[in-house]
């Protein structure tokens, strides 16, 4: 009978507690202040999971910071001083100070945005390449060392020309701007025309 009486008492208290918690005027427990009953310096995995890894232990060092409902005394004193100073200022003076502060902030933001735009444009100008390094290197190598230039000389400037064979033609080598003149059975004394310019006869060096 004593066990049944205790069980009936506990059952009635649990029912009463459930009714109180389910009542619409009862605030949510998650919004209530937690009172620490057990503090331990050991690592608590459940607290790690609930705080997403921010609080590994629930010790005497972290409890005052995490469960504080009021700021530090120094912060409270500074806040009271600011409230007192703000109460002494008239509404007109406060409005003027607000406008002045807004103007200063706007000017500062404009300067910062302008400097950012200038730095971005300057970086784009510096990074933009206005020449081809390969062409520049090829031009320097050609001027300084003659790299890539043709070293062949056209006939008539020291090179022998074979003639006498019917149908054989000698093509003057050179660049694409030089006219190709076929020579068929012409004697060696004939002076070929090279792009409208008279060349020196074979065997005689041209004038430099």
């Amino acid at each position: 009978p004593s066990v049944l009486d205790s069980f009936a008492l506990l059952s009635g208290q649990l029912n009463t507690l459930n009714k109180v918690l389910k009542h619409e005027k009862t605030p949510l427990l998650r919004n209530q202040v937690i009172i620490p009953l057990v503090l331990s310096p050991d690592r608590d995995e459940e607290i790690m999971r609930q705080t997403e890894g921010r609080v590994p232990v629930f010790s005497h060092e972290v409890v005052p910071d995490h469960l504080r409902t009021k700021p530090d005394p120094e912060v409270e004193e500074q806040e009271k001083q600011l409230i007192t100073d703000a109460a002494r200022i008239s509404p007109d003076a406060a409005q003027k100070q607000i406008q002045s502060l807004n103007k200063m902030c706007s000017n500062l933001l404009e300067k910062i945005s302008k400097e950012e735009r200038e730095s971005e444009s300057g970086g784009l100008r510096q990074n933009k390449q206005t020449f081809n390094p390969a062409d520049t290197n090829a031009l320097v190598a050609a001027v300084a060392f003659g790299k890539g230039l043709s070293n062949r000389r056209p006939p008539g400037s020291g090179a022998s020309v074979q003639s006498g064979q019917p149908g054989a033609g000698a093509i003057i080598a050179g660049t694409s701007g030089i006219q190709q003149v076929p020579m068929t059975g012409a004697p060696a004394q004939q002076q070929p025309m090279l792009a409208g310019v008279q060349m020196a006869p074979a065997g005689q060096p041209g004038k430099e």
Side-chain angles (χ1 to χ4, degrees), residues 171-190:
I171 300 177
I172 300 175
T175 59
S176 59
I178 300 176
Q179 184 180 0
Q180 296 180 356
V181 181
M183 299 175 62
T184 57
Q189 289 80 12
Q190 183 180 0

Side-chain angles (χ1 to χ4, degrees), residues 5 32 63 111 143:
D5 292 341
Q32 303 303 312
V63 165
K111 288 182 180 180
V143 173

Side-chain angles (χ1 to χ4, degrees), residues 82-162:
L82 292 174
I83 293 174
T84 304
D85 295 341
R88 295 176 183 174
I89 302 175
S90 62
D92 296 338
Q95 190 66 26
K96 290 181 180 179
Q97 291 182 3
I98 291 173
Q99 293 177 358
S100 176
L101 181 61
N102 290 336
K103 185 177 181 180
M104 291 174 59
C105 293
S106 301
N107 293 336
L108 183 60
L109 290 175
E110 289 179 0
K111 288 182 180 180
I112 292 174
S113 60
K114 183 178 179 181
E115 290 180 358
E116 288 180 352
R117 289 194 300 269
E118 290 178 354
S119 62
E120 290 178 358
S121 60
L124 292 176
R125 286 196 299 269
Q126 291 178 0
N127 296 332
K128 187 177 180 180
Q129 195 171 7
T130 58
F131 63 95
N132 190 353
D135 294 344
T136 304
N137 295 333
L139 182 60
V140 172
V143 173
F145 308 106
K147 184 178 179 180
L149 300 178
S150 177
N151 56 0
R152 292 180 296 177
R153 296 181 180 179
S157 60
S160 59
V161 178
Q162 296 180 359

Side-chain angles (χ1 to χ4, degrees), residues 7-85:
F7 181 78
L9 178 63
L10 291 174
S11 178
Q13 291 180 352
L14 288 175
N15 290 330
T16 304
L17 181 60
N18 286 331
K19 289 180 181 179
V20 172
L21 293 177
K22 292 179 179 179
H23 197 270
E24 58 182 7
K25 293 185 178 180
T26 302
L28 296 176
L29 293 179
R30 65 171 62 94
N31 297 332
Q32 303 303 312
V33 178
I34 300 175
I35 301 176
L37 299 178
V38 178
L39 300 178
S40 174
D42 299 333
R43 183 185 179 90
D44 194 339
E45 297 297 335
E46 183 65 21
I47 294 178
M48 282 282 293
R49 184 184 63 81
Q50 292 180 0
T51 59
E52 298 178 356
R54 293 188 297 271
V55 182
V57 295
F58 202 64
S59 62
H60 296 78
E61 296 180 358
V62 300
V63 165
D65 295 332
H66 289 284
L67 300 183
R68 178 180 290 135
T69 57
K70 294 177 63 178
D72 292 335
E74 295 83 1
V75 177
E76 280 189 336
E77 291 295 330
Q78 293 179 2
E79 188 176 357
K80 289 180 180 178
Q81 185 67 29
L82 292 174
I83 293 174
T84 304
D85 295 341

